[in-house]
Amino acid sequence: MASILRSIVAGPRLRNPEAGLDLCYVTDNIIVTSGPSSTYPQRAYRNPTDVLVKFLDSKHGKNWSIWEFRAEGTGYPDSEVYGRIRHYPWPDHHPPPFALVPNIMASMRNWLKDSETQKDERVVVVHCKAGKGRSGTVACSYLISEEGWNKEDALTRFTTRRMRAGFGAGISIPSQLRWVGYVDQWTKISKIYVERQIEILEVHVWGLRDGVKVAIEGFVDEGKTIKTFHQFKKHERLVVDATAQNNSTFADLAGLKSEGTVGKPRSKTVHGSNLIDESQADKQALELSGADHDVGGSAVIFRPSTRVVLPTSDICIDFERRNRARYGYSMVTAVAHVWFNAYFESLRTGVETTLRRPPSSGIFEIEWDAMDGIKGSSRKGIRALDRVAVVWKAIDTEKESGVSPQIITEPPIGEAVPESQAADWRTGEGGGTKQGKDLGLRLESPGPGSERPSRANSVKSSRSGLQQESKADDDDDSVAGVQVHIPESKSHIADVAHHVVKTTEVAKLDGTAGTKAARTEDLPGGVPENQLKTSTHSVVGSIAKDQSYSNR
């Protein structure tokens, strides 16, 4: 039964026929496996830790060591693998903080190519939770940076060794694939990486639909945690009309041209300018399209009202679309995000500079369809936008940021390589923080620091919602205009009650004003109270009828 469960959980991933476990040999000395477990019930459907260790001992003796990447916890103590384990954890369904990559590569290289041992006999065992996204990113990165493989061959090898035929790519998350490309680029520039603090200046969105929340995220705690550094509010947006969206370039929207209008203070002049007042834009859209038509016609520029500085060059822009529901819930209808690294994106600009001092600003652009979906899938829900561009600049001087840029190189062969602090292994069995978002009902305020459903570029506002826009900077007003979902069965309650009982106001009872009572004659088929029979009359009458019937 346990083997059947493990086969079901492994799904599209190939199992090793000799071991009967969810693992594969990418090369003769690189093993990828799903995360083992030492506790029940997980070990019934995952690789049991003791069974995995027994297999590795029988095949490789003492010449194996584990590299794990689970920020949610390994699911087993280090002692059960003889302490032969390196920890470099980061969250599931995301790329690694790039500053970890040089240390991961160097530590694997040192183990496999130590001149004092029979290096050809050594193997590395890498695992995350499923042994696919995070493990595949590291395995392919090693083949590219340490074995001289090209990117396409490395990705193809991992897919053919890890996946069943016809079940998709081994690495399928766009941001993780982007990181493999960064490793290929890093290898070609002498493995130099510059970690800088990055300030987000603007986020430009084309075709933004209503109810979309936009947030800026990044890594903290050595990469084990993703933190939301800023979530845009209503007063931090500039709306551009439909003509500007359809006909303008990015430079027009960013205000980079000398005659650009976006970037100037918000204007309430509708004619003769591409920048119009938000409430006027909504009113015009409502008149043209009707309140029930989902229009994403305007381009929007989000500008933080205060400086947003991330501690590393790894940047995530997160999007979530919600419709407000009843009883403190909202309906999440779209979820997407994208990760990029400002250092490597800046090197693609073609600006003449040195690797140790790359360009200090740049723009990252991406289409909706190319973004990461829900929990590592391509599923994102209904479309929330068409395209996004992020304008950023690097904080290069220690005087400005208090932290000087850090030049990171790969540690040389034989040098001790630091590793990250491991997460609590017990949380890998369900005690950790839930990673990732999903569609469906959610509390309007899911946690500390979270915002209520953002109205963003809503043009589906009700008339009353438009009147409430006078409080432009009120955070609670961010939900104005978001569609309210009312269950159909609830919408008729008031009408039914009105026809069933006609109420009349009576004197105050117990000092409570507005208390109402119903007269018996107002009920359907009712009669005055003085004509009602008691229960005794009713029972006696029924007995008399029965006796009369029996005497027939």
Side-chain angles (χ1 to χ4, degrees), residues 322 328 330 442-448 450-453:
R322 298 196 206 180
S330 57
R442 190 183 304 171
L443 287 173
E444 287 189 7
S445 298
S450 299
E451 300 293 335
R452 300 180 69 185

Side-chain angles (χ1 to χ4, degrees), residues 76-92:
Y76 59 90
D78 290 0
S79 59
E80 293 195 6
V81 293
Y82 314 124
R84 294 203 296 265
I85 185 170
R86 310 307 200 271
H87 301 279
Y88 296 97
W90 76 85
D92 199 5

